[in-house]
Amino acid sequence: MGLRNRLSRDRSATAAVDRPRPDRLDPFLGDRELRSAYRALVDGDWKKLERFLLTSPKAWMFQGIATSEVLDIETVTFERWVDFKQTPRARSFYAAVQIRDAFADRSRAQAAHESEPLPADEDHRFAARLKTAEEILYEVVTDRPAMPDPWVTLLVSGRGLSVDLEELRERFENAHSRAAFRPDAALEYLESLTKKWGGSNIATLDFARWLEVEATDDSACRAALPMAHIERGLHEYGRENLARYLMQPEIVAELANGLLRFLQATESPASTEALPVLNAYALAMTADSAPTARLVIETYARIENRPTLYPWSIYGEDITDVFSEIQADQLRFANRY
């Protein structure tokens, strides 16, 4: 079935923005289940929280949200979870938030030193904190060999410790063998392959294209292809000239094919799990014809003003302003067709 039959014919720029413009970033993306899991975490309802993490297909999203700097849940919250339950999952989350804190402290130290290199003791302290977290994660691996969560987090700590790409690949394969095409594992590994973390643009795109072939058409792993192109564009062209890279005909064609497959495989309005993919495509996709314009308009319509942190964070801290401004520009451009 063709694009005209599968996507709405009467979409317009106004259809994509009929919800009020977001006035703040919602880390839960309007999802009641994710917000309920957050309440269970901060209220200490460990039984309810672990039941959600064991059964919900959104558990992978919650792990990233709960241990992020955006939500900034106090470390003591995770300590209480470990103290009360001592479950492998509690310890895995606790290690993840320790890694979050280590990265945050290093970022503050770097800002304080401006352009000067960090003192050696700061680097050593950062590495020591990551290694301590890794010890916890490897204990979890020993206690619960089938659990993928610690392997996902070991990809994050591995980047911070500058472990070689072969070791990072083994960590991804350990996560993948326990939960095939788990989105956060795939996307964390993709980040590890980028040029800024010591990888290469070729390796990043090769992995993203492998996911395009092997993962199901509705998989959230499909955020990898637009992410890979955005990261390559940032490296080769810089933030201010990213659009020049993304507007190249062969890149537009590849992204349009991937986006069309994803839209055809998923529903409208979008599920929460689809939002990381749609937001990545919302920035990466260029409307250079009537068919690609319809893709852009449909993508923003399905997002329904629910921006994710990535990719909008590459332009600054005020995610909602960035999202709203780029959305308006993209839709105005698309509506020329």
Side-chain angles (χ1 to χ4, degrees), residues 81-209:
W81 185 8
V82 172
D83 289 342
F84 276 88
K85 296 291 289 184
Q86 278 294 334
T87 61
R89 187 161 280 105
R91 286 182 283 144
S92 184
F93 268 71
Y94 177 65
V97 84
Q98 291 293 312
I99 293 168
R100 176 203 71 183
D101 292 346
F103 273 101
D105 287 347
R106 188 179 69 162
S107 293
R108 284 190 286 269
Q110 287 173 331
H113 286 83
E114 297 179 346
S115 59
E116 298 176 8
L118 275 179
D121 61 330
E122 290 281 1
D123 275 335
H124 292 156
R125 187 178 300 110
F126 172 69
R129 294 175 70 180
L130 295 187
K131 289 175 182 177
T132 298
E134 288 205 339
E135 290 173 6
I136 298 171
L137 292 166
Y138 280 117
E139 289 173 0
V140 174
V141 167
T142 301
D143 292 346
R144 193 69 61 84
M147 190 175 176
D149 304 54
W151 291 108
V152 175
T153 308
L154 282 163
L155 286 166
V156 182
S157 59
R159 286 201 302 270
L161 290 168
S162 300
V163 303
D164 60 50
L165 290 177
E166 181 65 24
E167 169 64 20
L168 287 169
R169 184 178 66 82
E170 290 180 8
R171 294 183 184 198
F172 167 72
E173 289 179 349
N174 271 297
H176 185 65
S177 66
R178 289 158 173 79
F181 300 104
R182 175 165 157 152
D184 54 349
L187 300 180
E188 290 291 357
Y189 182 52
L190 182 87
E191 177 78 0
S192 302
L193 293 174
T194 58
K195 189 76 174 178
K196 65 187 177 187
W197 285 106
S200 70
N201 292 325
I202 292 174
T204 307
L205 278 165
D206 281 349
F207 180 64
R209 288 165 177 158

Side-chain angles (χ1 to χ4, degrees), residues 21-25 307 312 315 317-328:
R21 171 174 166 163
D23 58 3
R24 63 180 179 82
L25 179 68
W312 316 109
Y315 288 104
E317 295 182 359
D318 199 331
I319 304 301
T320 55
D321 280 351
V322 170
F323 169 77
S324 297
E325 289 171 13
I326 293 178
Q327 174 179 235

Side-chain angles (χ1 to χ4, degrees), residues 191 196 223 226-228 230-231 234 275-276 279-280 307-314 319:
E191 177 78 0
K196 65 187 177 187
M227 286 174 66
I230 289 169
E231 293 300 326
L234 289 171
L275 290 174
N279 274 270
T308 50
L309 183 65
Y310 185 91
W312 316 109
S313 58
I314 67 176
I319 304 301

